[in-house]
Structures are given as C-alpha cells and as structure tokens.
C-alpha cells in the first residue's frame, strides 16, 4: 500500500520516516507544489518527495499532517477532490480545540468530512506527538491511538496501518466523536507544556483484565493511564511490581473479603 502524506513539517516528516522504516512506500508533499533541493528524504529510498497533486493521485491512503487551516484551504481550493472513495486520515487539530466545545459541524474532523465527501475520512494520529511516531512504546506497552469515522472498512484500514507502526488503535465511534479527539490532543499538549515534556508523552487504554482486543477495539472494563517517555540517557524509576495475589484464606483463617 502506498501511503501519501501532505505536510512536510515535523509531524509529516517523522511519519514518513517511520513508514519507510517498516518497508512501506511513501509519497510526501509540502503545502506548495515545488520540491526544492536538497531533498531531506534522499537518504530514504522508500520516500519520494512529490507535488501535492501527485500524492492525491497516486497514494492508496492519504494522511493530512499539516495545520488545520491549510487542510481546509486545500479542500476549498479543490486540490483534494480526487478522492475516488479512498481513505484519508485527518491528523489535524483546530486551534485551541479544547477551549470551547464546538458544535459537531464546527469540529475539525466533521468539517473536513463535509468538505471531502469523495473520501472516507478517519480522524486519527492527531493525539500523537512527532517524537512518539518512531517508537510508540511506553513502559513496554504500545501507545493508544483513538480513531473516529463513519466508514468501518476505512477504520479497519487505518487500524491495520497503526498496528504496523506499533500503536494500539481504539475505535471510538463515528466522525461525530472528532471533537473529543481534538480536545484530548489539546489536553495532552497542555500536560506536555506544563511539565516540560517536549512531546515525550502518550496515553494508553489498558485492559483491566487480560482480554483480547477485537478488530482494533477493546472489550471488557478498561482504565486510561498517562505515561511519559524517559528522556534519552536518563532513566525513570521502574514501576513497582504488582503485589502477589491474595491467598485463599486470610491469616486469621477467615475467607477473604470479596472485592467490591
């Protein structure tokens, strides 16, 4: 599968390198059509720098990794019209997404879905900092990526791509859930800024009991845990091991009190 990326900034470049490291061909374009030398992706044989039109025409799946206003501008200019029923990942975040909860039609993901009816829009990857794209693991577990969209086959396609990169995708519902994902991204950025993490953080939805994930979703009760990656060269304290299971009977010989 050829993945196309529109956006050659920090996020788009990091995603292109991560995809190339996993052996997938990548087409990448910036906001403007000209590809000026020197090409920063020349050392990566799997990545081709091309104009925006070539990404739209030649990719099997397209990822929008550029500022939200730029994505809207491309859509309004008709430069993304050639959808042909393919999947596009909306990884954008509207400015100050979590300050005032927008109406569904005003959310970034919902607006792009309305502007791009010839595409199957899936909101995903907007909660992932660039620094987590190459190694999406914290405390030995993959970083969770929520995704939202109205087309189950498209969400399955995006889930497969995320798993190939090492993430744990979680289907949260239709594109009407996009405002929640955008607010989550705003919250994570606020945490990163508050604690000077420089984007070295992610979140994980972990199963409370060891039960299998089904089709990219989760079954059973779950809890959310925020983690951060230890800075390079440093080491955070290791998490204490879980306490041993309680014996069948208490020291006093009484049956243990049932858990609530």
């Amino acid at each position: 599968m050829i993945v196309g990326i529109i956006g050659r900034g920090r996020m788009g470049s990091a995603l292109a390198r991560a995809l190339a490291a996993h052996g997938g061909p990548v087409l990448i374009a910036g906001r403007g059509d000209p590809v000026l030398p020197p090409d920063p992706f020349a050392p990566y044989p799997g990545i081709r720098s091309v104009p925006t039109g070539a990404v739209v025409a030649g990719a099997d799946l397209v990822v929008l990794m550029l500022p939200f206003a730029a994505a809207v501008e491309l859509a309004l200019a008709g430069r993304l019209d050639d959808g042909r029923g393919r999947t596009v990942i909306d990884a954008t975040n509207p400015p100050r997404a979590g300050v005032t909860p927008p109406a569904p039609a005003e959310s970034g993901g919902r607006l792009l879905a309305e502007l791009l009816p010839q595409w199957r829009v899936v909101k995903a990857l907007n909660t992932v900092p660039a620094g987590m794209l190459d190694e999406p693991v914290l405390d030995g577990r993959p970083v969770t990526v929520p995704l939202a969209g109205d087309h189950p086959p498209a969400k399955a396609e995006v889930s497969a791509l995320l798993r190939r990169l090492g993430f744990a995708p979680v289907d949260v519902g239709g594109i009407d859930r996009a405002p929640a994902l955008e607010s989550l991204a705003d919250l994570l950025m606020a945490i990163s800024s508050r604690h000077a993490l420089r984007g070295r953080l992610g979140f994980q939805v972990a199963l409370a009991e060891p039960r299998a994930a089904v089709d990219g979703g989760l079954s059973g009760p779950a809890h959310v845990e925020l983690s951060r990656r230890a800075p390079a060269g440093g080491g955070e304290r290791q998490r204490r091991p879980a306490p041993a299971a309680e014996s069948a009977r208490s020291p006093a010989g009484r049956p243990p009190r049932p858990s609530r």
Side-chain angles (χ1 to χ4, degrees):
M1 178 175 68
I2 300 175
V3 177
I5 300 171
I6 301 179
R8 288 165 50 113
R10 192 160 171 251
M11 285 289 294
S13 298
L15 178 61
R17 291 191 295 267
L19 288 167
H22 287 80
V26 181
L27 302 176
I28 187 168
R31 293 193 226 180
D33 281 341
V35 180
L36 301 176
D39 185 355
F41 301 108
Y44 303 90
I47 305 175
R48 287 178 52 207
S49 293
V50 298
T52 301
V55 170
V56 175
D60 300 306
L61 178 149
V62 173
V63 187
L64 300 178
M65 277 201 156
L66 66 172
F68 172 71
V72 172
E73 183 180 345
L74 284 176
L76 291 175
R79 300 181 67 187
L80 302 176
D81 283 353
D82 187 21
R84 288 174 278 142
R86 289 172 295 163
T87 298
V88 61
I89 298 177
D90 169 25
T92 70
N93 282 308
R96 298 175 62 84
V99 175
T100 302
E106 296 172 348
S107 76
R110 182 65 177 270
L111 177 59
L112 284 174
E114 292 177 354
L115 292 175
L116 302 173
Q118 55 282 80
W119 293 85
R120 303 183 303 179
V121 178
V122 177
K123 187 81 179 186
L125 282 173
N126 67 304
T127 60
V128 180
M132 299 302 301
L133 285 166
D134 61 335
E135 188 182 353
V137 177
L138 294 168
D139 289 338
R141 292 182 295 166
V143 170
T144 297
V145 175
L147 56 96
D150 294 336
H151 306 280
K155 289 193 286 187
E157 187 178 13
V158 174
S159 293
L161 178 66
L162 293 172
R163 281 192 289 268
R164 189 174 58 155
L165 290 171
F167 291 100
V170 177
D171 185 349
V172 301
I175 198 65
D176 60 315
R177 296 293 184 184
L181 272 63
E182 292 156 4
S183 293
L184 175 59
D186 189 71
L187 175 62
L188 292 174
M189 286 189 288
I191 294 173
S192 178
S193 176
R194 173 73 175 175
H195 299 280
L197 302 180
R198 298 181 180 179
R200 296 190 305 270
L201 85 163
F203 83 100
Q204 297 160 330
V205 176
L207 295 177
E209 298 177 359
R211 298 174 63 181
V214 179
D215 296 331
L218 296 174
S219 60
H223 68 277
V224 176
E225 177 176 325
L226 287 172
S227 304
R228 70 173 180 176
R229 179 185 294 176
E236 292 185 317
R237 290 188 302 173
Q238 297 294 320
R239 181 180 299 175
R240 294 181 181 178
E246 189 178 3
S247 60
R249 302 188 67 84
S250 66
R254 297 187 301 271
R257 180 178 300 175
S259 59
R260 294 181 180 271

